[in-house]
């Protein structure tokens, strides 16, 4: 019998250097896409996938994340008094979820961040969700991985194809064989392969489901690429002892961990909103006109 997947870990202790100076005093996970912090999209996906307990791994300068998911009695009272029930609902949405926090003392890498969740997870399967990727899908991405776990009883890594020239930015899977069109057995995982040397173009995109055995490998994992304890290296070792699958999930992935992806996501999400789309389209047209004038001058 499979154990039910009820727990999620969200590592959010990274330095966010790609968004400096904005992330000097503010966590990158709190940068908003339109009007919602990126981490809230991740929490919503977890809840919609049936997750009941969430652990956020935070670090220095990340207090705003804890505050965001705490209740704010004065704000709630003011909104009640002013009859602003639609805003009250938005504020309350973030406080009715079971969220726990733990600190990673130093940003020693994603693998080290996940290791901080060992006591919280115990002897259960769990998911790891990274805030750098927001996935819009009919069936939430994490729910898709859970369904594959229910079939295989094994660790499942969420992947999607990326362009050949982008493989050097990701963990890439080397496949051994395919079980179905989307579920693959994996030979090994390579963290950020050099351009031209990637074994495939299937990239690990911020969604993982692990059996608790991953902690055995994280505990003994040596420092790898970039001087950090890499989650990818521990997955490779886990795969040598226990089958790990890669699953090509359905859905559109938005990369909000780098500037261009963040701008694109903001634009696309606002175009998906009835209250904003026409104004945003007009505004974009105006901006493009102005810029094409200055380019042709
Ligand atoms: P990234 O490398 O994308 O995030 O790590 P970062 O370090 O915050 O950003 P840059 O590269 O400096 O701009 C992927 C995820 O792992 C977390 C990050 O918060 C992010 O969600 N992470 C990374 C940790 O929690 N701890 C770490 O030591 C490293």
């Amino acid at each position: 019998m499979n154990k039910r997947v009820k727990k999620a870990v969200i590592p959010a202790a990274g330095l966010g250097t790609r968004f400096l100076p904005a992330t000097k005093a503010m966590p990158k996970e709190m940068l908003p896409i339109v009007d919602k912090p990126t981490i809230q999209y991740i929490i919503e996906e977890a809840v919609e996938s049936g997750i009941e307990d969430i652990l956020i791994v935070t670090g220095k300068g990340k207090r705003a994340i804890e505050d965001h998911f705490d209740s704010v009695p004065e704000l709630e009272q003011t909104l009640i008094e002013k009859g602003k029930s639609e805003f009250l609902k938005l504020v309350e949405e973030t406080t009715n979820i079971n969220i726990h926090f733990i600190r990673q003392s130093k940003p020693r890498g994603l693998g080290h961040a996940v290791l901080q969740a060992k006591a919280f997870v115990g002897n259960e399967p769990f998911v790891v969700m990274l805030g750098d990727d927001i996935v819009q899908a009919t069936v939430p991405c994490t729910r898709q991985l859970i369904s594959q776990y229910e079939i295989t009883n094994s660790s499942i890594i969420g992947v999607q194809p990326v362009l050949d020239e982008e493989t050097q930015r990701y963990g890439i899977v080397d496949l051994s064989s395919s079980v179905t069109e989307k579920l693959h057995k994996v030979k090994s995982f390579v963290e950020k392969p050099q351009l031209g040397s990637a074994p495939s173009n299937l990239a690990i995109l911020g969604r993982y489901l692990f059996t608790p055995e991953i902690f055995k490998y994280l505990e003994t994992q040596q420092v790898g690429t970039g001087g950090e304890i890499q989650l990818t290296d521990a997955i490779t070792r886990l795969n040598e002892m226990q089958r790990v699958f890669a699953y090509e999930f359905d859905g559109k992935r938005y990369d909000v961990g780098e500037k261009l992806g963040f701008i694109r996501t903001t634009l696309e999400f606002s175009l998906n909103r009835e209250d904003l789309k026409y104004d945003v389209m007009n505004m974009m047209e105006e901006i493009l006109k102005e810029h094409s004038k200055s380019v042709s001058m």
Side-chain angles (χ1 to χ4, degrees):
M1 233 324 244
N2 284 320
K3 284 195 177 159
R4 215 157 71 72
V5 184
K6 293 177 294 191
K7 292 179 179 171
V9 176
I10 304 179
L15 295 174
T17 41
R18 282 170 289 177
F19 280 94
L20 281 169
T23 47
K24 213 174 141 196
M26 186 178 63
K28 91 169 167 188
E29 295 77 12
M30 289 302 294
L31 293 173
I33 301 292
V34 187
D35 50 11
K36 216 189 270 184
T38 54
I39 195 163
Q40 196 174 330
Y41 290 94
I42 307 300
I43 303 267
E44 285 173 1
E45 180 188 320
V47 172
E48 284 163 18
S49 299
I51 295 295
E52 293 169 9
D53 272 297
I54 297 169
L55 178 74
I56 303 180
V57 183
T58 66
K60 204 167 171 294
K62 302 280 184 168
R63 265 280 309 274
I65 301 179
E66 294 181 40
D67 289 344
H68 182 70
F69 293 103
D70 199 358
S71 61
V72 196
E74 313 81 39
L75 174 61
E76 286 164 26
Q77 190 53 39
T78 310
L79 293 172
I80 292 169
E81 282 164 14
K82 298 198 165 169
K84 297 194 168 175
S85 56
E86 75 277 21
F87 291 111
L88 183 65
K89 201 168 145 266
L90 292 178
V91 169
E92 284 176 343
E93 260 172 19
T94 51
T95 57
N96 295 332
I97 312 164
N98 248 344
I99 302 181
H100 314 260
F101 296 92
I102 195 162
R103 276 176 84 107
Q104 182 188 18
S105 52
K106 271 192 196 145
R108 294 178 59 201
L110 177 56
H112 184 256
V114 175
L115 181 57
Q116 310 311 305
K118 186 172 183 262
F120 165 80
V121 167
N123 196 27
E124 292 179 32
F126 67 105
V127 293
V128 172
M129 307 172 74
L130 302 190
D132 283 354
D133 296 294
I134 296 179
V135 183
Q136 291 216 314
T138 320
V139 177
C141 179
T142 294
R143 180 61 238 171
Q144 295 179 43
L145 298 196
I146 294 173
S147 298
Q148 294 304 313
Y149 167 77
E150 286 165 355
I151 298 167
T152 59
N153 210 13
S154 301
S155 297
I156 313 278
I157 312 300
V159 298
Q160 274 194 342
V162 296
L163 298 173
D164 289 344
E165 57 271 27
E166 287 181 348
T167 48
Q168 55 184 336
R169 289 177 40 210
Y170 296 96
I172 299 291
V173 293
D174 188 1
L175 302 183
S176 72
S177 62
S178 295
V179 182
T180 65
E181 200 188 327
K182 295 189 166 184
L183 185 71
H184 313 285
K185 289 184 185 168
V186 177
K187 207 185 296 164
S188 64
F189 297 86
V190 191
E191 183 61 27
K192 302 192 173 76
Q194 282 190 349
L195 196 60
S197 71
S200 78
N201 66 346
L202 285 182
I204 303 178
L205 295 176
R207 297 293 183 276
Y208 312 76
L209 191 156
F210 292 117
T211 57
E213 281 74 23
I214 188 71
F215 290 113
K216 253 198 296 199
Y217 300 97
L218 285 173
E219 274 171 328
T220 53
Q221 190 56 55
Q222 304 291 310
V223 163
T225 310
E228 296 191 335
I229 296 177
Q230 295 290 351
L231 180 60
T232 314
D233 294 341
I235 305 174
T236 298
R237 287 168 63 222
L238 172 68
N239 190 37
E240 285 159 13
M241 299 308 293
Q242 200 182 74
R243 169 85 47 218
V244 175
F245 291 90
Y247 181 69
E248 288 183 61
F249 59 81
D250 287 321
K252 182 155 185 191
R253 196 261 315 197
Y254 294 89
D255 181 1
V256 296
E258 58 92 30
K259 284 188 255 277
L260 209 56
F262 186 87
I263 294 166
R264 188 189 175 106
T265 311
T266 304
L267 286 173
E268 282 203 42
F269 277 39
S270 51
L271 290 173
N272 287 339
R273 289 244 314 232
E274 286 305 317
D275 60 333
L276 291 171
K277 78 174 173 194
Y278 296 109
D279 288 340
V280 172
M281 274 196 290
N282 290 338
M283 186 182 71
M284 280 163 71
E285 229 172 274
E286 249 171 59
I287 294 173
L288 285 174
K289 252 189 234 157
E290 268 172 40
H291 279 258
S292 58
K293 252 190 250 159
S294 66
V295 168
S296 60
M297 270 199 315

